[in-house]
Amino acid sequence: MGGPLLACDEAGEMSGDAVLHPAQRLRSAVRVSGRMRTASVECVAEEVPVAMVYNGISHAVMLATPADLEDFGTGFSLAEGIVARASEIHDIDTAHHVDGIEVRMQVSNRAFDALKARRRSLAGRTGCGLCGVDSLGQVSREVKPVAARPSVDEAAIHRAFVALGEGQALHALTGSVHAAAWAHADGTLFAVREDVGRHNALDKLIGAVALAGLDTTQGFAVVTSRASYEMVLKLASVGGGLLAAISAPTGLAIDLAGRTGVTLCGFVRDGRMAIYTESRTCTATQTE
């Protein structure tokens, strides 16, 4: 066995005092500063095709960071409504190929029959804005209102974001990935998941929470991205009652959060936030 693999500092430059992250690669580049040009080796995040395969049938291919793939498969399945609960996934493993990775899942007969019916209704797919959707009517897929929302104060939300900034290992190395974290009601973090795609990061987090058996009514999610419709939909699908984002929400996301009872906070930074929808059990108040 050799010595430690090279890794990078916060500026993306190579150093020899840390182990290379499994989702990180080294690439040659030229750094330019004024008239100075310097050859360098840069740390970059991996992005590979990841296929979600159910009972031997490929359902979707995502471009994702190749880490936490069991969490990814579980969270994607829950957030997309393919399974109703994590226990419907009887087995999960990964297969690495030259052109990508398969996340192979064996799901219950009920889930697989529903998935086959869903696939028969698809005419084709031209993008990945909303996975498995082929008509405008399907965009407005509704989920049940969340059963309960966490009692969270403003300080806990800011505490979670501070911890999230400190817990983004891959972002610190590459500067190119999003993160999603699950926080307990007091703002302490249970888990952080990172990915080049913000949706993928949230799927991975949902999977980690489900596999740990956590009660989604007793915590909340924080993300390093905007809060889009899909992000609210994914969280509401698993009963999560509060989503806090470092950036802005979209109008459609606010509408969905209002209908499902999800507390939606945006622009959470520097001790401030904007609260767009708020449940009675959330005690967070907007800072002037």
Side-chain angles (χ1 to χ4, degrees):
M1 296 293 290
L5 293 174
L6 296 173
C8 304
D9 61 20
E10 291 185 356
E13 296 181 319
M14 186 174 68
S15 64
D17 57 358
V19 175
L20 191 68
H21 191 285
Q24 165 195 353
R25 293 190 67 181
L26 303 179
R27 295 287 189 175
S28 299
V30 176
R31 291 214 165 201
V32 180
S33 177
R35 295 184 178 181
M36 296 291 294
R37 297 170 63 88
T38 306
S40 68
V41 177
E42 306 286 325
C43 299
V44 299
E46 278 281 51
E47 184 178 29
V48 303
V50 176
M52 299 295 175
V53 180
Y54 297 93
N55 295 13
I57 298 177
S58 180
H59 172 68
V61 178
M62 318 295 288
L63 288 173
T65 301
D68 303 306
L69 294 178
E70 182 175 351
D71 292 344
F72 190 23
T74 302
F76 177 88
S77 302
L78 288 165
E80 293 297 322
I82 294 169
V83 298
R85 58 194 65 84
S87 60
E88 286 196 282
I89 303 175
H90 300 320
D91 187 44
I92 182 169
D93 62 15
T94 59
H96 293 249
H97 306 283
V98 173
D99 54 353
I101 302 171
E102 289 183 338
V103 179
R104 297 172 173 174
M105 290 165 277
Q106 291 294 318
V107 299
S108 68
N109 290 336
R110 185 216 63 81
F112 190 54
D113 288 343
L115 180 60
K116 288 189 292 185
R118 178 174 172 179
R119 287 177 59 85
R120 284 194 296 270
S121 71
L122 298 181
R125 200 178 286 156
T126 59
C128 198
L130 288 165
C131 296
V133 170
D134 74 333
S135 68
L136 292 176
Q138 289 179 296
V139 171
S140 58
R141 174 173 72 92
E142 292 295 331
V143 295
K144 294 180 180 179
V146 296
R149 277 79 72 187
S151 180
V152 176
D153 60 24
E154 181 182 342
I157 296 174
H158 290 300
R159 191 177 301 120
F161 267 95
V162 170
L164 176 57
E166 297 170 350
Q168 294 175 246
L170 185 57
H171 184 74
L173 294 168
T174 67
S176 62
V177 295
H178 285 294
W182 186 258
H184 301 295
D186 64 357
T188 59
L189 296 190
F190 163 73
V192 177
R193 293 294 181 265
E194 296 180 277
D195 199 277
V196 290
R198 65 186 190 277
H199 302 131
N200 298 341
L202 185 56
D203 281 338
K204 289 178 178 180
L205 180 68
I206 288 171
V209 169
L211 290 172
L214 294 190
D215 182 354
T216 55
T217 68
Q218 299 301 309
F220 59 99
V222 293
V223 295
T224 61
S225 65
R226 69 181 183 273
S228 61
Y229 172 88
E230 303 100 306
M231 303 287 275
V232 175
L233 181 64
K234 287 177 181 294
L235 187 64
S237 295
V238 296
L242 192 157
L243 176 65
I246 199 170
S247 191
T250 64
L252 200 60
I254 296 170
D255 291 343
L256 179 61
R259 292 195 302 274
T260 56
V262 172
T263 296
L264 181 59
C265 305
F267 294 111
V268 184
R269 60 184 77 171
D270 301 324
R272 297 175 177 268
M273 71 176 69
I275 303 172
Y276 296 89
T277 61
E278 188 172 14
S279 71
R280 292 180 180 178
T281 56
C282 179
T283 58
T285 55
Q286 184 173 352
T287 303
E288 297 295 336

